[in-house]
Amino acid sequence: MNIGTRKILDRSFTAVGIGSIIVMALALMIVVVPIVYNGIGAVFFTGTVEHRKMLQAEFSRGDSQYLSSEVASSNRYRAKVYEMLTGFEAELETMAPEKKAEYQAKYSQVRTALQALLGPLPGDPEPMLTRFKYGQTRWEKAEEKLHDLLYESKWDNTNPDVMGKEYFVNRAIGFEGTSLSRLFPYINENLEKMLLPEFTLYWGFITDSSVDSHFFGGIWPEIQGTFFLAIGAMLFAFPLGVVAAVYFTEYARPGFLNSMLRSANSTLAGVPSIVFGMFGLAFFINTMKVSESKSVIAGALTLAIMILPTIIRASEEAILAVPKTYREASLSLGSTKWNTIATVILPAALPGILTGGVISLGRAAGETAPIIFTAAVSVGSAIGLADVFSSPTPALSWNIYNLASEHEAATQIRHVQYGMVLALVTIVLLLNLSAIVLRARISKKLKG
Amino acid sequence: MLMITDVRNTSESVPVPKTTREIYLPPQRSTITGGGAAHIAAREFSVYYGDFEAVKRVSADILSKYVTAIIGPSGCGKSTFLRAINRMNDLIPGCHTTGSLLFDGEDIYGKYTDEVLLRKKVGMVFQKPNPFPKSIFDNIAYGPRLHGVNDKKKLMEIVERSLRKAAIWDEVCDRLDKNALGLSGGQQQRLCVARTLAVEPEVLLLDEPTSALDPKATAKIEDLIQELRGSYTIMIVTHNMQQASRVSDSTMFFYEGILVEHAPTAQLFVNPKDPMTEDYITGRFS
């Protein structure tokens, strides 16, 4: 091959390589940027006075004096709205029956939209669910609800060949000629004064329990549950995995049984995680009865079984990568095999073993399927360390799925879902980062 | 007398190893016979890697406190023979031996031999310097700690004595807590010698200790061997015939697993008995 062709080949390969890296980076950006942007929105957002009321009532947090002055000033603007409502209700009574029925239906829609926007109206019974006790706590949501109030959504189904088309009708037109027609421009203009939006930094999103299935409050139970499960899994899997790796590399005689065990181990690493979940339910809970039903310990054991093959493989490779000369040096000084392993081989293999361990820890933190049947509940409070043997826990991975797909008002709490995803991604990233740092420090110490 | 045999397994009724009947055969091609002073004695000793006989029926006496050089072309079995003495070949799967190899009259490959005790008495320095990735102090103290010395002051004494014996004390005394891998290759190799000396062996096996070093470091190692001569039984495998003639009292020449000639160094290099030896030392083949 002549020089020209070789150079062209090298260059084109470089170009292809760089191109594929750019494509991957872009794909990653497309996924990560919305997660980060929306996730941060769970902590940094424009909160309304309703948010501050909620904090004061549910978590006794915030300056109560300042809050009462705020509530007073917002109530001054809200009072006018309530006045208009009572005025219109009086007007309804004077109307002809068929006209009254027509307006009644429209009016109750307006009331519902107003309740969503501002919270319970005067004369409403005290709501049972916390989510109905407050108006919109986030300004961007309030703007959506304002739109719902001002415009009625209707579906255009005139053409049977295509899907229905949504269109909006201005509600104000429906109330033309009544006293309520003034309500819409008034709210449109004065919503800010009624809700007092303010830049809010809500650290409680990370440290608070959730209120009313994640309508308000934070995700601390999930974060704590994730840590319990991942660290619990590590406590079982890491020592077992390292011991197994030492056995495979140092003690096992090569032979049929050994190669069977090794290939079984590799196969186990590729088993779908839902299978581990079923196994955990069948074995740890139904057969071994480690707990009455779902519990942190059952979930941690299941995750441990899942990450065990990875830890064994990583440790095996780290041990095999230790130079033979270390072993020779130690043995030639009259060291026993066990002593050589404990004082020379394992310390030298430690960076590799730890890297495998931390990567597995990240995987344990992120897995959903194994904990569905063994440990996870969708809503719950943070559990104490003493309860890990008996009680289940909410966990980030499971609740991301649950809130996004099974929650009765999934669209209302997008910010919580994104916040959870960001929290999980951050935890896994931090774990991997700490693995890199740890590895670098130990390697540096070993290299001198 | 029983020094490398596991005492728990010995009693008066232990049968004498079968191999002893061969011990008193005279060495075949060796002009050195030890009589009582043989520290290591090989009788019809062979080492196999699977079916391949790497060392072929070697009989020789290695005299106590002598420096014995082993020379020969690559692949002639000299390293294998050396590593057989402290049973480092045990690490290689499929390696086994026949005949007998005696250390202080005890069979190194005997049924009840404790290879850990043996290796404590027969230290080894390898071709490539192989300090542990630990501090200089911990490297030297590794052996004594293994054998039960934990007193800090006593360890310090041992470390200093070993480093002085290995002629490296002056270079490292102010950085004992630094990682040993930060030393130069020659220093590392002398550190390895010191580490071996720290367990107070009787025999020192050097497997091409200077082949990875530059001439200056090589000279230092050779000086070190001269220093240690007379205190230890030293065996050194080398490719460098000048080195063998400089440092050794007696020399063994191996060719294709066979011990061709074993004679006092002066005699072997000046007046070799075997024409093959002559060809090799005059550089007609290598």
Side-chain angles (χ1 to χ4, degrees), chain A residues 271-280 306 367-370 372-373:
Chain A
V271 169
S273 52
I274 187 74
V275 177
F276 284 106
M278 298 303 285
F279 168 80
M306 189 194 70
E367 270 301 343
T368 317
I372 295 177
F373 306 116

mmCIF file with all atom_site columns, all heavy atoms in Angstrom, chain A residues 271-280 306 367-370 372-373:
data_model
loop_
_atom_site.group_PDB
_atom_site.id
_atom_site.type_symbol
_atom_site.label_atom_id
_atom_site.label_alt_id
_atom_site.label_comp_id
_atom_site.label_asym_id
_atom_site.label_entity_id
_atom_site.label_seq_id
_atom_site.pdbx_PDB_ins_code
_atom_site.Cartn_x
_atom_site.Cartn_y
_atom_site.Cartn_z
_atom_site.occupancy
_atom_site.B_iso_or_equiv
_atom_site.pdbx_formal_charge
_atom_site.auth_seq_id
_atom_site.auth_comp_id
_atom_site.auth_asym_id
_atom_site.auth_atom_id
_atom_site.pdbx_PDB_model_num
ATOM 1   N N   . VAL A 1 271 ? -28.501 -11.697 32.499 1.00 0.00 ? 271 VAL A N   1
ATOM 2   C CA  . VAL A 1 271 ? -29.913 -12.011 32.735 1.00 0.00 ? 271 VAL A CA  1
ATOM 3   C C   . VAL A 1 271 ? -30.704 -10.713 32.913 1.00 0.00 ? 271 VAL A C   1
ATOM 4   O O   . VAL A 1 271 ? -30.253 -9.805  33.608 1.00 0.00 ? 271 VAL A O   1
ATOM 5   C CB  . VAL A 1 271 ? -30.054 -12.908 33.986 1.00 0.00 ? 271 VAL A CB  1
ATOM 6   C CG1 . VAL A 1 271 ? -31.496 -13.030 34.407 1.00 0.00 ? 271 VAL A CG1 1
ATOM 7   C CG2 . VAL A 1 271 ? -29.464 -14.278 33.715 1.00 0.00 ? 271 VAL A CG2 1
ATOM 8   N N   . PRO A 1 272 ? -31.880 -10.600 32.284 1.00 0.00 ? 272 PRO A N   1
ATOM 9   C CA  . PRO A 1 272 ? -32.668 -9.370  32.424 1.00 0.00 ? 272 PRO A CA  1
ATOM 10  C C   . PRO A 1 272 ? -33.023 -9.119  33.889 1.00 0.00 ? 272 PRO A C   1
ATOM 11  O O   . PRO A 1 272 ? -33.283 -10.057 34.641 1.00 0.00 ? 272 PRO A O   1
ATOM 12  C CB  . PRO A 1 272 ? -33.933 -9.663  31.619 1.00 0.00 ? 272 PRO A CB  1
ATOM 13  C CG  . PRO A 1 272 ? -33.582 -10.778 30.729 1.00 0.00 ? 272 PRO A CG  1
ATOM 14  C CD  . PRO A 1 272 ? -32.508 -11.557 31.382 1.00 0.00 ? 272 PRO A CD  1
ATOM 15  N N   . SER A 1 273 ? -33.051 -7.842  34.265 1.00 0.00 ? 273 SER A N   1
ATOM 16  C CA  . SER A 1 273 ? -33.188 -7.538  35.677 1.00 0.00 ? 273 SER A CA  1
ATOM 17  C C   . SER A 1 273 ? -34.560 -7.909  36.225 1.00 0.00 ? 273 SER A C   1
ATOM 18  O O   . SER A 1 273 ? -34.694 -8.208  37.406 1.00 0.00 ? 273 SER A O   1
ATOM 19  C CB  . SER A 1 273 ? -32.894 -6.066  35.920 1.00 0.00 ? 273 SER A CB  1
ATOM 20  O OG  . SER A 1 273 ? -33.664 -5.273  35.066 1.00 0.00 ? 273 SER A OG  1
ATOM 21  N N   . ILE A 1 274 ? -35.578 -7.949  35.361 1.00 0.00 ? 274 ILE A N   1
ATOM 22  C CA  . ILE A 1 274 ? -36.907 -8.310  35.854 1.00 0.00 ? 274 ILE A CA  1
ATOM 23  C C   . ILE A 1 274 ? -36.915 -9.748  36.357 1.00 0.00 ? 274 ILE A C   1
ATOM 24  O O   . ILE A 1 274 ? -37.617 -10.104 37.301 1.00 0.00 ? 274 ILE A O   1
ATOM 25  C CB  . ILE A 1 274 ? -37.977 -8.105  34.734 1.00 0.00 ? 274 ILE A CB  1
ATOM 26  C CG1 . ILE A 1 274 ? -39.388 -8.302  35.275 1.00 0.00 ? 274 ILE A CG1 1
ATOM 27  C CG2 . ILE A 1 274 ? -37.749 -9.030  33.565 1.00 0.00 ? 274 ILE A CG2 1
ATOM 28  C CD1 . ILE A 1 274 ? -39.889 -7.194  36.117 1.00 0.00 ? 274 ILE A CD1 1
ATOM 29  N N   . VAL A 1 275 ? -36.058 -10.585 35.732 1.00 0.00 ? 275 VAL A N   1
ATOM 30  C CA  . VAL A 1 275 ? -35.958 -11.972 36.177 1.00 0.00 ? 275 VAL A CA  1
ATOM 31  C C   . VAL A 1 275 ? -35.409 -12.020 37.602 1.00 0.00 ? 275 VAL A C   1
ATOM 32  O O   . VAL A 1 275 ? -35.872 -12.799 38.442 1.00 0.00 ? 275 VAL A O   1
ATOM 33  C CB  . VAL A 1 275 ? -35.070 -12.773 35.206 1.00 0.00 ? 275 VAL A CB  1
ATOM 34  C CG1 . VAL A 1 275 ? -34.892 -14.198 35.703 1.00 0.00 ? 275 VAL A CG1 1
ATOM 35  C CG2 . VAL A 1 275 ? -35.692 -12.774 33.826 1.00 0.00 ? 275 VAL A CG2 1
ATOM 36  N N   . PHE A 1 276 ? -34.425 -11.154 37.858 1.00 0.00 ? 276 PHE A N   1
ATOM 37  C CA  . PHE A 1 276 ? -33.905 -11.077 39.219 1.00 0.00 ? 276 PHE A CA  1
ATOM 38  C C   . PHE A 1 276 ? -34.992 -10.623 40.190 1.00 0.00 ? 276 PHE A C   1
ATOM 39  O O   . PHE A 1 276 ? -35.059 -11.084 41.328 1.00 0.00 ? 276 PHE A O   1
ATOM 40  C CB  . PHE A 1 276 ? -32.717 -10.123 39.294 1.00 0.00 ? 276 PHE A CB  1
ATOM 41  C CG  . PHE A 1 276 ? -31.459 -10.711 38.746 1.00 0.00 ? 276 PHE A CG  1
ATOM 42  C CD1 . PHE A 1 276 ? -30.970 -10.303 37.522 1.00 0.00 ? 276 PHE A CD1 1
ATOM 43  C CD2 . PHE A 1 276 ? -30.765 -11.673 39.452 1.00 0.00 ? 276 PHE A CD2 1
ATOM 44  C CE1 . PHE A 1 276 ? -29.811 -10.840 37.014 1.00 0.00 ? 276 PHE A CE1 1
ATOM 45  C CE2 . PHE A 1 276 ? -29.612 -12.221 38.951 1.00 0.00 ? 276 PHE A CE2 1
ATOM 46  C CZ  . PHE A 1 276 ? -29.128 -11.804 37.731 1.00 0.00 ? 276 PHE A CZ  1
ATOM 47  N N   . GLY A 1 277 ? -35.841 -9.710  39.712 1.00 0.00 ? 277 GLY A N   1
ATOM 48  C CA  . GLY A 1 277 ? -36.935 -9.240  40.558 1.00 0.00 ? 277 GLY A CA  1
ATOM 49  C C   . GLY A 1 277 ? -37.858 -10.375 40.947 1.00 0.00 ? 277 GLY A C   1
ATOM 50  O O   . GLY A 1 277 ? -38.193 -10.567 42.117 1.00 0.00 ? 277 GLY A O   1
ATOM 51  N N   . MET A 1 278 ? -38.238 -11.189 39.952 1.00 0.00 ? 278 MET A N   1
ATOM 52  C CA  . MET A 1 278 ? -39.106 -12.332 40.222 1.00 0.00 ? 278 MET A CA  1
ATOM 53  C C   . MET A 1 278 ? -38.407 -13.322 41.145 1.00 0.00 ? 278 MET A C   1
ATOM 54  O O   . MET A 1 278 ? -39.000 -13.877 42.072 1.00 0.00 ? 278 MET A O   1
ATOM 55  C CB  . MET A 1 278 ? -39.491 -13.038 38.915 1.00 0.00 ? 278 MET A CB  1
ATOM 56  C CG  . MET A 1 278 ? -40.273 -12.191 37.948 1.00 0.00 ? 278 MET A CG  1
ATOM 57  S SD  . MET A 1 278 ? -41.769 -11.559 38.654 1.00 0.00 ? 278 MET A SD  1
ATOM 58  C CE  . MET A 1 278 ? -42.786 -13.011 38.662 1.00 0.00 ? 278 MET A CE  1
ATOM 59  N N   . PHE A 1 279 ? -37.117 -13.535 40.882 1.00 0.00 ? 279 PHE A N   1
ATOM 60  C CA  . PHE A 1 279 ? -36.340 -14.446 41.717 1.00 0.00 ? 279 PHE A CA  1
ATOM 61  C C   . PHE A 1 279 ? -36.331 -13.964 43.168 1.00 0.00 ? 279 PHE A C   1
ATOM 62  O O   . PHE A 1 279 ? -36.526 -14.754 44.097 1.00 0.00 ? 279 PHE A O   1
ATOM 63  C CB  . PHE A 1 279 ? -34.914 -14.538 41.181 1.00 0.00 ? 279 PHE A CB  1
ATOM 64  C CG  . PHE A 1 279 ? -33.964 -15.212 42.120 1.00 0.00 ? 279 PHE A CG  1
ATOM 65  C CD1 . PHE A 1 279 ? -33.930 -16.595 42.210 1.00 0.00 ? 279 PHE A CD1 1
ATOM 66  C CD2 . PHE A 1 279 ? -33.123 -14.470 42.933 1.00 0.00 ? 279 PHE A CD2 1
ATOM 67  C CE1 . PHE A 1 279 ? -33.070 -17.221 43.092 1.00 0.00 ? 279 PHE A CE1 1
ATOM 68  C CE2 . PHE A 1 279 ? -32.267 -15.088 43.806 1.00 0.00 ? 279 PHE A CE2 1
ATOM 69  C CZ  . PHE A 1 279 ? -32.231 -16.462 43.891 1.00 0.00 ? 279 PHE A CZ  1
ATOM 70  N N   . GLY A 1 280 ? -36.111 -12.644 43.328 1.00 0.00 ? 280 GLY A N   1
ATOM 71  C CA  . GLY A 1 280 ? -36.066 -12.088 44.677 1.00 0.00 ? 280 GLY A CA  1
ATOM 72  C C   . GLY A 1 280 ? -37.376 -12.311 45.402 1.00 0.00 ? 280 GLY A C   1
ATOM 73  O O   . GLY A 1 280 ? -37.395 -12.693 46.574 1.00 0.00 ? 280 GLY A O   1
ATOM 74  N N   . MET A 1 306 ? -28.066 -9.458  41.699 1.00 0.00 ? 306 MET A N   1
ATOM 75  C CA  . MET A 1 306 ? -27.974 -8.931  40.340 1.00 0.00 ? 306 MET A CA  1
ATOM 76  C C   . MET A 1 306 ? -26.589 -8.387  40.030 1.00 0.00 ? 306 MET A C   1
ATOM 77  O O   . MET A 1 306 ? -26.062 -8.577  38.940 1.00 0.00 ? 306 MET A O   1
ATOM 78  C CB  . MET A 1 306 ? -29.029 -7.850  40.136 1.00 0.00 ? 306 MET A CB  1
ATOM 79  C CG  . MET A 1 306 ? -29.135 -7.416  38.702 1.00 0.00 ? 306 MET A CG  1
ATOM 80  S SD  . MET A 1 306 ? -30.070 -5.905  38.576 1.00 0.00 ? 306 MET A SD  1
ATOM 81  C CE  . MET A 1 306 ? -28.935 -4.753  39.302 1.00 0.00 ? 306 MET A CE  1
ATOM 82  N N   . GLU A 1 367 ? -31.430 0.567   39.130 1.00 0.00 ? 367 GLU A N   1
ATOM 83  C CA  . GLU A 1 367 ? -32.292 -0.515  38.631 1.00 0.00 ? 367 GLU A CA  1
ATOM 84  C C   . GLU A 1 367 ? -33.707 -0.397  39.183 1.00 0.00 ? 367 GLU A C   1
ATOM 85  O O   . GLU A 1 367 ? -33.909 -0.103  40.358 1.00 0.00 ? 367 GLU A O   1
ATOM 86  C CB  . GLU A 1 367 ? -31.715 -1.873  39.015 1.00 0.00 ? 367 GLU A CB  1
ATOM 87  C CG  . GLU A 1 367 ? -30.764 -2.452  38.007 1.00 0.00 ? 367 GLU A CG  1
ATOM 88  C CD  . GLU A 1 367 ? -31.348 -2.673  36.630 1.00 0.00 ? 367 GLU A CD  1
ATOM 89  O OE1 . GLU A 1 367 ? -32.591 -2.686  36.481 1.00 0.00 ? 367 GLU A OE1 1
ATOM 90  O OE2 . GLU A 1 367 ? -30.554 -2.823  35.691 1.00 0.00 ? 367 GLU A OE2 1
ATOM 91  N N   . THR A 1 368 ? -34.667 -0.646  38.332 1.00 0.00 ? 368 THR A N   1
ATOM 92  C CA  . THR A 1 368 ? -36.067 -0.580  38.739 1.00 0.00 ? 368 THR A CA  1
ATOM 93  C C   . THR A 1 368 ? -36.667 -1.968  38.924 1.00 0.00 ? 368 THR A C   1
ATOM 94  O O   . THR A 1 368 ? -37.261 -2.268  39.958 1.00 0.00 ? 368 THR A O   1
ATOM 95  C CB  . THR A 1 368 ? -36.896 0.132   37.659 1.00 0.00 ? 368 THR A CB  1
ATOM 96  O OG1 . THR A 1 368 ? -36.161 1.258   37.221 1.00 0.00 ? 368 THR A OG1 1
ATOM 97  C CG2 . THR A 1 368 ? -38.212 0.569   38.208 1.00 0.00 ? 368 THR A CG2 1
ATOM 98  N N   . ALA A 1 369 ? -36.471 -2.799  37.917 1.00 0.00 ? 369 ALA A N   1
ATOM 99  C CA  . ALA A 1 369 ? -37.194 -4.074  37.889 1.00 0.00 ? 369 ALA A CA  1
ATOM 100 C C   . ALA A 1 369 ? -36.968 -4.939  39.133 1.00 0.00 ? 369 ALA A C   1
ATOM 101 O O   . ALA A 1 369 ? -37.930 -5.486  39.670 1.00 0.00 ? 369 ALA A O   1
ATOM 102 C CB  . ALA A 1 369 ? -36.818 -4.836  36.628 1.00 0.00 ? 369 ALA A CB  1
ATOM 103 N N   . PRO A 1 370 ? -35.740 -5.079  39.623 1.00 0.00 ? 370 PRO A N   1
ATOM 104 C CA  . PRO A 1 370 ? -35.564 -5.991  40.758 1.00 0.00 ? 370 PRO A CA  1
ATOM 105 C C   . PRO A 1 370 ? -36.285 -5.543  42.024 1.00 0.00 ? 370 PRO A C   1
ATOM 106 O O   . PRO A 1 370 ? -36.547 -6.362  42.893 1.00 0.00 ? 370 PRO A O   1
ATOM 107 C CB  . PRO A 1 370 ? -34.046 -5.996  40.990 1.00 0.00 ? 370 PRO A CB  1
ATOM 108 C CG  . PRO A 1 370 ? -33.466 -5.505  39.732 1.00 0.00 ? 370 PRO A CG  1
ATOM 109 C CD  . PRO A 1 370 ? -34.456 -4.569  39.154 1.00 0.00 ? 370 PRO A CD  1
ATOM 110 N N   . ILE A 1 372 ? -39.243 -3.805  42.103 1.00 0.00 ? 372 ILE A N   1
ATOM 111 C CA  . ILE A 1 372 ? -40.701 -3.660  41.994 1.00 0.00 ? 372 ILE A CA  1
ATOM 112 C C   . ILE A 1 372 ? -41.400 -4.646  42.919 1.00 0.00 ? 372 ILE A C   1
ATOM 113 O O   . ILE A 1 372 ? -42.287 -4.289  43.682 1.00 0.00 ? 372 ILE A O   1
ATOM 114 C CB  . ILE A 1 372 ? -41.175 -3.902  40.545 1.00 0.00 ? 372 ILE A CB  1
ATOM 115 C CG1 . ILE A 1 372 ? -40.626 -2.820  39.633 1.00 0.00 ? 372 ILE A CG1 1
ATOM 116 C CG2 . ILE A 1 372 ? -42.697 -3.912  40.484 1.00 0.00 ? 372 ILE A CG2 1
ATOM 117 C CD1 . ILE A 1 372 ? -40.985 -3.038  38.184 1.00 0.00 ? 372 ILE A CD1 1
ATOM 118 N N   . PHE A 1 373 ? -40.948 -5.920  42.882 1.00 0.00 ? 373 PHE A N   1
ATOM 119 C CA  . PHE A 1 373 ? -41.643 -6.953  43.654 1.00 0.00 ? 373 PHE A CA  1
ATOM 120 C C   . PHE A 1 373 ? -41.071 -7.119  45.047 1.00 0.00 ? 373 PHE A C   1
ATOM 121 O O   . PHE A 1 373 ? -41.619 -7.821  45.859 1.00 0.00 ? 373 PHE A O   1
ATOM 122 C CB  . PHE A 1 373 ? -41.548 -8.295  42.936 1.00 0.00 ? 373 PHE A CB  1
ATOM 123 C CG  . PHE A 1 373 ? -42.021 -8.245  41.534 1.00 0.00 ? 373 PHE A CG  1
ATOM 124 C CD1 . PHE A 1 373 ? -41.149 -8.494  40.488 1.00 0.00 ? 373 PHE A CD1 1
ATOM 125 C CD2 . PHE A 1 373 ? -43.335 -7.922  41.254 1.00 0.00 ? 373 PHE A CD2 1
ATOM 126 C CE1 . PHE A 1 373 ? -41.578 -8.440  39.187 1.00 0.00 ? 373 PHE A CE1 1
ATOM 127 C CE2 . PHE A 1 373 ? -43.766 -7.871  39.952 1.00 0.00 ? 373 PHE A CE2 1
ATOM 128 C CZ  . PHE A 1 373 ? -42.889 -8.117  38.919 1.00 0.00 ? 373 PHE A CZ  1
#
